């Protein structure tokens, strides 16, 4: 009877190598998670410091114009976020790497990277109001419109009716040689609960677009059954 000892040794060696490799990967995972947690804690600290040092309603014109508060934002189904979620080795999802769409509704003054980024030069964010409102204008703001190629350029705002029909309410262009915060009037001043801000192009960045602030202004409907 012939016993292949060499094959047994090779198999044992392969198992040992695999075990060492798994141990190494587990160590790498642990170190990566600790580094990412530390980065996230630092980021939260910086954001809290920034928010506490600057009043949330620092721009008085926002409230004077009839800013519609209490809204929520979400990306449309055909828009892909830039950055998405951090994944170890591209496989294990850890946590979100980019700010959420609600960032565009914030009233704090924008600072670099305090934006919602999406891939490419076209994308859409859907804004749902706390209740129906007659919107009269919107504002678009970028932190550095004079130099940032990732700033939005041409856009359309759609009012979404109860039956999901879309009505164009504004069409405009955010230009680099004007103030960072630019206002645009709405033509369709009908009571709506949802609107879609659709970016058609940006200032030249083919990889991603950064939306810093999109604010809506108008009058909330007094009827609570909407």
């Amino acid at each position: 009877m012939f016993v292949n000892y060499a094959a047994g040794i090779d198999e044992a060696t392969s198992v040992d190598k695999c075990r060492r490799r798994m141990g190494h990967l587990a160590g790498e995972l642990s170190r990566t998670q600790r580094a990412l947690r530390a980065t996230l804690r630092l980021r939260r600290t910086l954001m809290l410091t920034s928010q506490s040092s600057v009043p949330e309603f620092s721009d008085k014109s926002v409230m004077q114009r009839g800013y519609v508060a209490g809204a929520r934002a979400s990306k449309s189904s055909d828009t892909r976020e830039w950055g998405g979620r951090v994944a170890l080795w591209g496989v294990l999802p850890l946590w979100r790497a980019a700010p959420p769409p609600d960032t565009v509704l914030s009233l704090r003054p924008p600072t670099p990277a305090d934006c919602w980024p999406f891939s490419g030069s076209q994308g859409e964010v859907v804004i749902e109001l706390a209740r129906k409102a007659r919107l009269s204008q919107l504002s678009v703001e970028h932190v550095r419109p004079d130099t940032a190629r990732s700033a939005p350029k041409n856009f359309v705002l759609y009012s979404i009716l109860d039956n999901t029909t879309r009505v164009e309410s504004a069409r405009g262009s955010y230009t680099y040689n004007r103030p960072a915060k630019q206002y645009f009037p709405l033509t369709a001043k009908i009571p709506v609960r949802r609107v879609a801000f659709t970016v058609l192009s940006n200032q030249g960045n083919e990889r991603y677009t950064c939306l810093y602030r999109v604010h809506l202004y108008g009058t909330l409907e007094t009827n609570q059954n909407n």
Side-chain angles (χ1 to χ4, degrees), residues 116-181:
W116 176 63
F118 60 82
S119 296
S121 60
Q122 297 182 344
E124 183 177 84
V125 61
V126 177
I127 301 174
E128 182 175 355
L129 309 178
R131 64 176 189 265
K132 283 186 177 180
R134 292 181 181 272
L135 303 176
S136 57
Q137 61 180 337
L138 81 150
S139 64
V140 182
E141 185 176 9
H142 195 278
V143 69
R144 288 298 303 273
D146 55 336
T147 59
R149 298 173 65 227
S150 62
K153 186 177 182 180
N154 299 314
F155 65 86
V156 179
L157 183 78
Y158 294 103
S159 296
I160 304 177
L161 306 183
D162 292 341
N163 61 1
T164 70
T165 299
R166 291 190 171 202
V167 178
E168 183 177 314
S169 296
R171 180 179 292 265
S173 294
Y174 183 83
T175 56
Y176 69 91
N177 56 354
R178 292 178 57 199
K181 192 166 191 174

Side-chain angles (χ1 to χ4, degrees), residues 205-221:
N205 191 323
E206 297 180 356
R207 301 176 62 196
Y208 61 89
T209 302
C210 290
L211 278 185
Y212 275 82
R213 300 292 183 268
V214 177
H215 292 162
L216 300 170
Y217 308 86
T219 305
L220 291 172
E221 294 285 274

Side-chain angles (χ1 to χ4, degrees), residues 50-88:
S50 174
Q51 293 175 23
S52 61
S53 61
V54 180
E56 182 75 1
F57 295 99
S58 58
D59 185 356
K60 294 182 180 180
S61 65
V62 169
M63 305 312 296
Q64 292 171 353
R65 288 174 179 268
Y67 172 74
V68 179
R72 296 181 301 173
S74 60
K75 74 177 188 68
S76 64
S77 58
D78 56 352
T79 298
R80 187 164 61 92
E81 292 179 311
W82 175 261
R85 293 181 179 273
V86 170
L88 186 65

Side-chain angles (χ1 to χ4, degrees), residues 180-198:
K181 192 166 191 174
Q182 301 174 22
Y183 294 88
F184 304 88
L186 271 61
T187 55
K189 300 176 182 179
I190 53 179
V192 291
R193 181 77 181 272
R194 290 190 303 151
V195 298
F197 182 80
T198 306

